[in-house]
Amino acid sequence: MTLSATRPARAGTGRADPRTSLLVLAGWYAAVVVAFGLFLGTRSGTVPAGCGEGCDSERSRMLIFGLYVAAPALFLALLVSLTLLAALVSRTRIRSSALVGTLSAVLPLAVCGVLAANR
């Protein structure tokens, strides 16, 4: 009986797949957008009684906040997340695409959440 020589591992096998990691990252951002949409659905759409044309409903105020504050912040967070994703894929040996996508999304989304909560 002869023993066969072990084959060396290929150079690219020790890293996460960038495409799958990007899909995980996109899933986190989609979850944030869906959660904001569900949050808007819980807000009241009625204008307070005795208020003139200068008043808005709770839902419209949150929608305006989402369009003018949250959307640009989410875009900047996405740019940071994509940079983190590129760095994590190229410079670490993490094999799990889910972990790489989650790690690249968590910090920027958490910062946006903290800033939005303190508005």
Side-chain angles (χ1 to χ4, degrees):
M1 181 159 106
T2 61
L3 296 175
S4 62
T6 59
R7 293 184 184 184
R10 286 185 276 161
T13 59
R15 296 187 177 159
D17 180 29
R19 290 174 284 177
T20 309
S21 299
L22 183 64
L23 287 176
V24 171
L25 175 74
W28 279 108
Y29 278 87
V32 168
V33 171
V34 167
F36 184 74
L38 291 173
F39 175 73
L40 279 179
T42 64
R43 301 290 102 196
S44 171
T46 60
V47 178
C51 195
E53 289 184 24
C55 294
D56 290 329
S57 68
E58 228 181 296
R59 184 180 300 153
S60 66
R61 281 185 284 151
M62 287 308 297
L63 185 60
I64 290 170
F65 170 78
L67 290 175
Y68 291 114
V69 176
L74 203 60
F75 178 71
L76 289 175
L78 180 63
L79 292 178
V80 171
S81 290
L82 289 173
T83 305
L84 281 173
L85 179 69
L88 284 173
V89 167
S90 67
R91 296 178 188 232
T92 64
R93 292 273 186 205
I94 300 173
R95 292 182 182 196
S96 172
S97 295
L99 182 61
V100 170
T102 300
L103 286 175
S104 61
V106 165
L107 183 65
L109 288 178
V111 169
C112 281
V114 168
L115 291 176
N118 292 328
R119 65 167 183 97

